[in-house]
Amino acid sequence: MSNKRKKRPRKTFRFLFQMKKKLMLLFVIVIACLAAMVGRLAYIEVVSGEKYEKIVLSNQEYSSTTIPYRRGDIVDRKGTVLATSTDVYNVILDCSVITAKDEYLEPTIAALSACFEEDELLLTLEEIRTYVAEHPDKQYYKIASQLPYSEIEAFEALQEENSDIKGIWFEKEYIREYPYGSLASALIGYTASGNLGLGGIEDSYNDVLNGTDGRQYGYLNSDSDYEVSIRDAVNGETVVSTIDANLQSIVEDKLQEFYDALTDNAEAGGGASHIAAIMMDPDTGEVLAMANYPNYDYSLTSEENLALFYTEEEISSMDDDALTDALDELKQNYCITYTYEPGSTAKPFTIACGLDTGTLTEDMTFYCDGAEEISGYTIHCVNRNGHGIETISEALENSCNDALMQMSYKIGAANFANYQQLFNFGLKTNIDLPGETRTSSLIYTEDTLTTINLATNSFGQNFNVTMIQLAAAYSSLVNGGSYYLPHVVAELTDEDGNTVESIEPTLLKKTVSEETADTLIQYLAAVVEEGTGSTAKVDGYSMCGKTGTAQKYVLDEDGNATSTRADGKYLVSFIGSVPAEDPEVVIYVVVDEPNVTDQAHSSYAQNVAREILKEALPYLNIYPDQEETGVNADLDILGQSSAETATSGDAAEGTEAADDAASEAAAQTESGV
């Protein structure tokens, strides 16, 4: 017998090799499937983990609830709260819990009866019993709304004492409150349902004032024990405004005092169509106060607000659209949304343009004979007999239209149009408030500045501005030529008071040279000391300023300006700064259609400005820099001394309105403006 080993058949090795390959493939497939499962579970955890983590308990005694965020406060520059959110609670009935056991209903009804007044509940106790019986699976039904915590505290105490009080929980929410009523209402704005800011800071800073809701829910853990999980809400940030509440209060009080005083002296209607004022820091662009009257008080109902300014007969005659329009007008921020012809407050900018371009020099003089003949029209100066020979400073002091028109010829259309844009006329200032009006369609270009258009523009008629445009531009004239972005918010903080963002002054451009600005300060100081602005003078303080009186257009049925000037309708104004050298505050007051027979007197606006400054300057720690002489010391808000008995229509100082012929000439050549 042979000792040789038999060779294993070749097919056996082939079989084993193939089996090994299959096992390896199977192993790879299993590993791949496991990896896919792990990946899928990870995806579910990240994307929908919360959804699958929550388990609704079989006894349904617990439910998931939203934790609302708190909208941030709006405060003034010193921390005074102007708008805040106060927590309130809705009482929620969960029928599915209260019906889980028979012994829950009556103790719960008894607790409701003991802790809440009948007028606080939306249903009577019997109606609650009926509702529970008819809707045993209902998990959410509101039976009381927006109660303060003090009114639900007693019920919570009873719940802790008696475990059979079930099926009632409290839904927290916030209501927006304005502690000072109408104070700065147009600037602050208001909120609608869902924390939606409308108007003012509430609107422009809506995203940072709002936060993110949190959530509380129950779930079963791995040991089948019930646990509560809470994701905290992220509250909104606090907006720190540049407004000073005390200064704002001074301004608003004086606007209302003037309005009421004119109303008392008028035969019918309110004191004016609108009265408005802005106070700014010229070196930063910060708005210290911004107000208009009439205004809206968010602590009152719409009906109560209307009743402040309209008679019952007027309100009853309004249809729904008219009522809405009337309310909207009360909520408008006049200082940024209304446009108008500035009148002679525009003259400093014309002179600044001429001096800065070299087309005017300080040694020039102009002869005013009372009128200019342009394109077949006679455009008169306010003094139809003429002022005679005037320097540039004297022309500004006297608010001489004739001299300004002569200056416009030297300046030329190209320079004038260029500086209009430098001063930001026709453009938005981009103040951090919604609703600012752009006036580009109400400003002439170089191509459309015909001789007569240039002439009328030079003294502030036939083009439009907003209050914030003029205040920001004037600030650059008296601060050395620096144009700062006007703004109403200084910083954002978290709920603990930590600064999130500081909003620093933004220098946008240079309007004029420091030399030109220094010259304008001298001219503007002379206007207050010796010229048309003397009524605005605060005794003991050096001041700069300029008056303005502009005749208004007739409006059509839709409220749009026609090409005809309104008979006797004027907008009068005063813009000034204190002290004259290196001013710390700019004030701008507009009185739109004062309710008097003779409206064309800037003294109405000057009186308001003076009375505001009398209280504001000491508060701002701006001290007198001149010897007191008693000038204007005994005048009231209407410019009357204690000895006067005249009505508000008397004692008209500082008028510089263009006459009807001049206005009509401008209207007929306005080229679409």
Side-chain angles (χ1 to χ4, degrees):
M1 186 167 80
S2 172
N3 292 326
K4 291 183 179 179
R5 294 178 60 187
K6 294 183 179 179
K7 293 183 179 180
R8 181 175 295 176
R10 186 178 297 274
K11 64 180 181 179
T12 301
F13 289 106
R14 186 181 300 113
F15 173 76
L16 292 174
F17 179 73
Q18 290 175 346
M19 285 296 294
K20 186 175 181 180
K21 286 177 61 178
K22 290 178 179 180
L23 288 172
M24 287 295 294
L25 179 61
L26 179 62
F27 178 76
V28 170
I29 291 172
V30 170
I31 294 299
C33 290
L34 288 173
M37 290 174 65
V38 170
R40 180 60 180 168
L41 288 173
Y43 173 80
I44 291 173
E45 175 65 23
V46 171
V47 176
S48 305
E50 184 178 313
K51 173 181 175 182
Y52 293 103
E53 188 177 350
K54 300 175 192 174
I55 299 176
V56 179
L57 300 182
S58 59
N59 61 13
Q60 295 183 313
E61 292 190 20
Y62 302 91
S63 59
S64 174
T65 58
T66 297
I67 303 174
Y69 65 82
R70 183 180 182 278
R71 186 174 172 90
D73 290 343
I74 299 173
V75 302
D76 85 335
R77 63 193 302 119
K78 295 182 178 178
T80 301
V81 176
L82 303 176
T84 190
S85 293
T86 302
D87 54 318
V88 292
Y89 297 84
N90 301 321
V91 183
I92 307 302
L93 174 67
D94 188 337
C95 300
S96 65
V97 172
I98 208 169
T99 57
K101 292 184 180 180
D102 293 339
E103 56 266 31
Y104 287 167
L105 179 60
E106 290 309 319
T108 303
I109 294 291
L112 288 171
S113 177
C115 298
F116 299 108
E117 300 291 336
E118 288 187 10
D119 59 354
E120 291 179 330
L121 297 175
L122 302 176
L123 300 178
T124 66
L125 299 179
E126 284 306 312
E127 287 173 336
I128 291 175
R129 282 193 180 91
T130 302
Y131 187 86
V132 171
E134 294 177 352
H135 306 84
D137 298 325
K138 189 77 171 180
Q139 293 181 304
Y140 183 98
Y141 189 78
K142 187 185 298 184
I143 60 173
S145 295
Q146 298 187 345
L147 301 180
Y149 182 72
S150 60
E151 295 188 26
I152 69 168
E153 198 171 10
F155 190 93
E156 287 187 329
L158 287 180
Q159 279 183 315
E160 291 181 4
E161 295 173 5
N162 188 345
S163 61
D164 286 340
I165 298 176
K166 297 287 187 180
I168 298 293
W169 57 279
F170 302 103
E171 178 184 55
K172 184 177 181 179
E173 63 180 39
Y174 293 95
I175 57 174
R176 201 65 165 165
E177 293 185 344
Y178 302 92
Y180 295 97
S182 63
L183 186 73
S185 60
L187 186 141
I188 295 170
Y190 61 103
T191 58
S193 60
N195 282 323
L196 176 63
L198 297 173
I201 294 173
E202 293 276 30
D203 189 335
S204 55
Y205 287 86
N206 187 66
D207 290 344
V208 297
L209 285 165
N210 280 344
T212 305
D213 284 338
R215 196 160 184 83
Q216 175 179 312
Y217 52 87
Y219 65 96
L220 292 177
N221 63 21
S222 57
D223 297 324
S224 296
D225 294 328
Y226 182 77
E227 292 186 1
V228 173
S229 178
I230 297 177
R231 187 177 71 242
D232 291 330
V234 178
N235 293 329
E237 296 172 2
T238 294
V239 173
V240 182
S241 72
T242 61
I243 300 301
D244 185 303
N246 290 325
L247 198 60
Q248 182 78 18
S249 181
I250 291 171
V251 171
E252 293 192 12
D253 286 347
K254 295 304 178 184
L255 294 187
Q256 183 173 356
E257 182 183 344
F258 178 81
Y259 185 92
D260 291 344
L262 269 194
T263 301
D264 292 341
N265 282 273
E267 293 182 0
S273 175
H274 297 93
I275 312 169
I278 296 175
M279 296 189 78
M280 289 181 66
D281 182 340
D283 293 324
T284 63
E286 291 184 349
V287 176
L288 305 176
M290 177 182 282
N292 53 258
Y293 198 83
N295 59 5
Y296 194 91
D297 186 338
Y298 291 107
S299 67
L300 303 178
T301 64
S302 295
E303 292 76 14
E304 290 170 333
N305 272 286
L306 287 172
L308 294 175
F309 304 104
Y310 296 91
T311 65
E312 290 184 11
E313 292 76 16
E314 288 173 329
I315 295 173
S316 61
S317 67
M318 296 180 185
D319 59 20
D320 290 344
D321 289 340
L323 286 171
T324 299
D325 290 343
L327 288 169
D328 286 346
E329 185 173 355
L330 292 179
K331 295 176 183 178
Q332 288 289 316
N333 187 338
Y334 184 93
C335 300
I336 65 172
T337 59
Y338 281 74
T339 70
Y340 54 88
E341 293 172 298
S344 294
T345 52
K347 289 174 180 174
F349 303 102
T350 300
I351 292 172
C353 169
L355 293 175
D356 215 51
T357 56
T359 52
L360 298 180
T361 58
E362 290 188 64
D363 58 353
M364 286 182 176
T365 59
F366 300 88
Y367 181 72
C368 170
D369 59 4
E372 282 287 296
E373 296 288 339
I374 306 175
S375 303
Y377 293 98
T378 301
I379 303 180
H380 290 276
C381 183
V382 64
N383 185 344
R384 294 200 176 199
N385 295 320
H387 291 105
I389 296 176
E390 298 175 301
T391 64
I392 294 177
S393 180
E394 289 169 338
L396 196 61
E397 288 173 41
N398 298 327
S399 204
C400 176
N401 291 345
D402 193 346
L404 264 291
M405 287 187 280
Q406 294 175 53
M407 293 180 202
S408 74
Y409 310 151
K410 294 181 177 295
I411 291 170
N415 286 327
F416 190 88
N418 180 42
Y419 273 75
Q420 288 281 84
Q421 191 166 48
L422 270 178
F423 289 124
N424 230 62
F425 299 142
L427 306 173
K428 288 185 178 181
T429 65
N430 289 322
I431 188 173
D432 48 346
L433 288 172
E436 182 182 9
T437 301
R438 185 184 180 96
T439 58
S440 56
S441 62
L442 306 173
I443 298 289
Y444 286 101
T445 64
E446 179 184 350
D447 293 337
T448 57
L449 273 174
T450 61
T451 302
I452 194 167
N453 291 337
L454 180 59
T456 54
N457 274 208
S458 72
F459 58 82
Q461 298 235 209
N462 215 16
F463 75 95
N464 280 39
V465 297
T466 63
M467 284 189 71
I468 192 61
Q469 281 179 346
L470 200 76
Y474 177 90
S475 294
S476 77
L477 285 186
V478 296
N479 72 8
S482 298
Y483 187 100
Y484 286 95
L485 174 70
H487 59 286
V488 298
V489 172
E491 65 176 347
L492 308 176
T493 65
D494 63 22
E495 57 186 315
D496 297 320
N498 302 309
T499 299
V500 175
E501 180 183 354
S502 292
I503 300 173
E504 301 296 332
T506 302
L507 176 61
L508 295 180
K509 55 188 170 183
K510 295 288 287 186
T511 55
V512 294
S513 67
E514 288 191 19
E515 181 181 2
T516 296
D518 289 343
T519 302
L520 259 295
I521 285 176
Q522 297 173 31
Y523 293 171
L524 291 166
V527 171
V528 175
E529 291 291 341
E530 304 170 20
T532 60
S534 60
T535 302
K537 182 79 164 65
V538 179
D539 194 19
Y541 289 89
S542 65
M543 289 179 60
C544 289
K546 186 66 192 78
T547 54
T549 305
Q551 190 176 22
K552 299 183 68 175
Y553 284 107
V554 173
L555 301 181
D556 61 22
E557 293 180 355
D558 298 323
N560 300 315
T562 67
S563 60
T564 304
R565 296 286 176 171
D567 185 23
K569 299 292 187 181
Y570 289 86
L571 181 143
V572 297
S573 59
F574 173 79
I575 190 163
S577 46
V578 182
E581 299 287 340
D582 194 18
E584 297 182 50
V585 64
V586 165
I587 184 169
Y588 185 25
V589 175
V590 164
V591 180
D592 187 359
E593 295 183 27
N595 191 6
V596 292
T597 303
D598 186 6
Q599 296 183 1
H601 301 288
S602 66
S603 55
Y604 296 119
Q606 292 184 66
N607 288 325
V608 177
R610 182 192 62 250
E611 295 306 298
I612 290 172
L613 290 173
K614 278 183 181 179
E615 293 188 25
L617 294 176
Y619 172 75
L620 291 170
N621 294 319
I622 301 175
Y623 302 105
D625 59 345
Q626 291 181 342
E627 182 180 349
E628 293 185 2
T629 63
V631 62
N632 297 336
D634 67 339
L635 297 183
D636 64 13
I637 198 76
L638 293 180
Q640 300 172 353
S641 70
S642 56
E644 282 184 297
T645 57
T647 64
S648 60
D650 299 329
E653 292 185 57
T655 179
E656 70 275 347
D659 63 300
D660 293 344
S663 301
E664 188 64 25
Q668 293 184 27
T669 58
E670 61 184 353
S671 301
V673 174

